[in-house]
Amino acid sequence: MPNYRIAWLPGDGIGPEVCQAARTVLDAAGFQAEYLPGDIGWEFWRTEGEALPTRTIQLLKATDCAFFGSITSKPAAEAARELVPELQNRGLSYRSPIVRMRQLLDLYICLRPCKAFPGNPLNYREGIDLVVFRENTEGMYIGVEYVRVPEIFYQQAGMERVPRTAAISIRSITPEGSRRIVKAAFEYAVKNGRRKVTAVHKANVLRATCGVFLESARQVAKDYPQIAFDEANVDAMCMWVLKNPGNYDVIVTTNLFGDILSDLCAQLVGGMGFAYSGNLGDRYAVFEPTHGSAPKYAGLDKVNPLATILAAKMMLEWLGEKEKAAALEQAVAQVVAQGQVRTYDLGGSATTSQMAAAVAAAL
Ligand code: IPM
Ligand code: MG
């Protein structure tokens, strides 16, 4: 029996309790692994000035994949104020650990399945089954931002349109980065019997960056004549996906558009209690519920753990434990359909741990 090494990163807020729920279910599924806990989150920012300490990065490098809960993040000024006195006024700036992990480990795919479990009272419609492929390393997330535009930029044509008082964020989109995410979407379509890939962009306005993305997508699509390909502007897509969710299958898009569109799609199938992600590279992956740390619910044993349990299902799939993954998904479907154990978001009063126990029992 393979013995997997998994970096276990519950984080803070509700992270620890939803990760515990996932552990209950992974154990019940008979999954054997060594779980190696890692430090990550707000407490490490406050006390060390780094929410993702170097020792945790080392841990990631020494494991097969990581399982991540959630962490608190706050706007720059507030984050700086909460640092311990010794770290104040040292020019430290908070960086999102999940964004850093995606970039450091080149986890270029953010895979976000949005499937309506039959009988979920929160389904927008029954039968929705979409998958979002979000580019996970470039775009608006490269972290190259200026609160004041560097003077040297004004040597470029067109910069006269940027006022001296402007803050700017740089969006970087490469043909290589675009091709590999679109290829991943098509490969997924082929392997999973999907019929269509839709590339989402705004190339009519963002001509350079979205132009590169769209052109790359069109090229890759030619290698997959058996899968239909279409294109949509991101604004229109937000409308169409609500109007006709059944028209979409695999959606592929750039980083920020994928961030936004995946929350929209998550709401179609029950919201954040059902939204889970795989951050996937060629060699490593980090699995997580898409929701945040919900500090006001922390420690209350109240939130819906299904997103985290489904993230565990995706981890099993990625590790090649297909039977256990399928059994786990089936158990979640059964608990949702029976409707006897429901957390507050589903209109019930069950706790996080009761929901996990119900899924474990259904296995
Ligand atoms: C997500 C989240 C993150 C993102 C935040 C926490 C940095 O919204 O995973 O969708 O913007 O990617
Ligand atoms: Mg998001």
Side-chain angles (χ1 to χ4, degrees):
M1 175 163 285
N3 193 14
Y4 302 108
R5 285 167 59 81
I6 296 170
W8 195 252
L9 314 172
D12 52 52
I14 57 171
E17 53 209 275
V18 290
C19 284
Q20 184 48 52
R23 266 300 288 282
T24 301
V25 174
L26 284 166
D27 291 349
F31 177 63
Q32 305 269 327
E34 198 183 337
Y35 296 97
L36 298 118
D39 294 338
I40 194 167
W42 194 249
E43 200 43 35
F44 303 96
W45 158 253
R46 274 200 347 94
T47 56
E48 300 179 25
E50 181 49 83
L52 178 65
T54 311
R55 60 186 177 281
T56 306
I57 298 171
Q58 298 306 334
L59 172 71
L60 300 176
K61 292 184 174 157
T63 47
D64 297 306
C65 63
F67 197 81
F68 171 65
S70 62
I71 54 175
T72 305
S73 59
K74 299 184 185 175
E78 217 176 314
R81 269 199 307 277
E82 290 198 20
L83 284 169
V84 294
E86 310 87 87
L87 295 176
Q88 299 267 340
N89 306 317
R90 289 225 208 145
L92 293 170
S93 59
Y94 181 82
R95 296 179 290 175
S96 160
I98 184 67
V99 173
R100 279 193 72 212
M101 285 193 284
R102 291 166 180 167
Q103 292 175 348
L104 272 171
L105 301 159
D106 201 24
L107 309 176
Y108 61 96
I109 301 164
C110 189
L111 172 57
R112 298 190 154 167
C114 302
K115 178 168 163 179
F117 285 100
N120 180 349
L122 300 176
N123 283 342
Y124 176 70
R125 266 177 221 164
E126 292 290 328
I128 297 174
D129 187 6
L130 301 169
V131 184
V132 178
F133 273 75
R134 163 187 179 189
E135 201 292 324
N136 219 15
T137 56
E138 50 179 44
M140 292 300 299
Y141 277 68
I142 56 169
V144 182
E145 301 196 281
Y146 301 91
V147 177
R148 269 271 149 69
V149 186
E151 203 47 44
I152 193 165
F153 282 30
Y154 285 102
Q155 292 173 9
Q156 298 302 313
M159 283 299 289
E160 64 284 354
R161 291 199 296 274
V162 181
R164 288 293 201 280
T165 51
I168 59 170
S169 302
I170 295 193
R171 183 180 203 235
S172 151
I173 305 260
T174 62
E176 302 77 29
S178 303
R179 280 199 295 266
R180 67 179 180 170
I181 186 67
V182 176
K183 183 163 188 271
F186 273 101
E187 287 294 322
Y188 179 94
V190 169
K191 288 192 191 105
N192 294 279
R194 299 276 181 166
R195 59 183 202 284
K196 181 161 89 171
V197 173
T198 304
V200 176
H201 63 89
K202 187 74 186 181
N204 55 343
V205 177
L206 304 174
R207 291 176 185 280
T209 48
C210 274
V212 163
F213 176 75
L214 185 55
E215 206 34 63
S216 308
R218 287 175 181 167
Q219 273 172 24
V220 172
K222 288 192 190 131
D223 297 335
Y224 298 88
Q226 72 277 39
I227 308 284
F229 173 67
D230 70 358
E231 309 168 358
N233 275 302
V234 64
D235 51 344
M237 185 67 184
C238 290
M239 190 180 70
W240 287 113
V241 84
L242 280 182
K243 188 159 192 235
N244 291 318
N247 279 358
Y248 301 98
D249 196 352
V250 178
I251 295 168
V252 63
T253 189
T254 49
N255 206 339
L256 182 60
F257 293 167
D259 178 42
I260 298 166
L261 200 55
S262 61
D263 274 18
L264 177 72
C265 291
Q267 191 55 38
L268 299 176
V269 299
M272 283 302 160
F274 291 84
Y276 62 106
S277 317
N279 300 279
L280 317 174
D282 291 332
R283 276 176 301 279
Y284 199 79
V286 177
F287 300 91
E288 53 158 341
T290 304
H291 60 63
S293 66
K296 71 173 179 185
Y297 291 127
L300 300 183
D301 197 23
K302 183 174 165 99
V303 298
N304 184 349
L306 291 182
T308 315
I309 289 171
L310 289 165
K313 180 220 63 157
M314 203 199 267
M315 177 175 79
L316 292 175
E317 265 163 12
W318 187 81
L319 288 169
E321 297 285 344
K322 306 260 188 252
E323 275 171 33
K324 288 190 172 68
L328 208 162
E329 179 157 354
Q330 183 50 42
V332 169
Q334 188 180 319
V335 169
V336 173
Q338 283 173 347
Q340 263 150 35
V341 184
R342 283 182 168 165
T343 40
Y344 80 97
D345 55 317
L346 290 156
S349 58
T351 63
T352 305
S353 41
Q354 284 166 346
M355 193 86 157
V359 176
L363 273 163

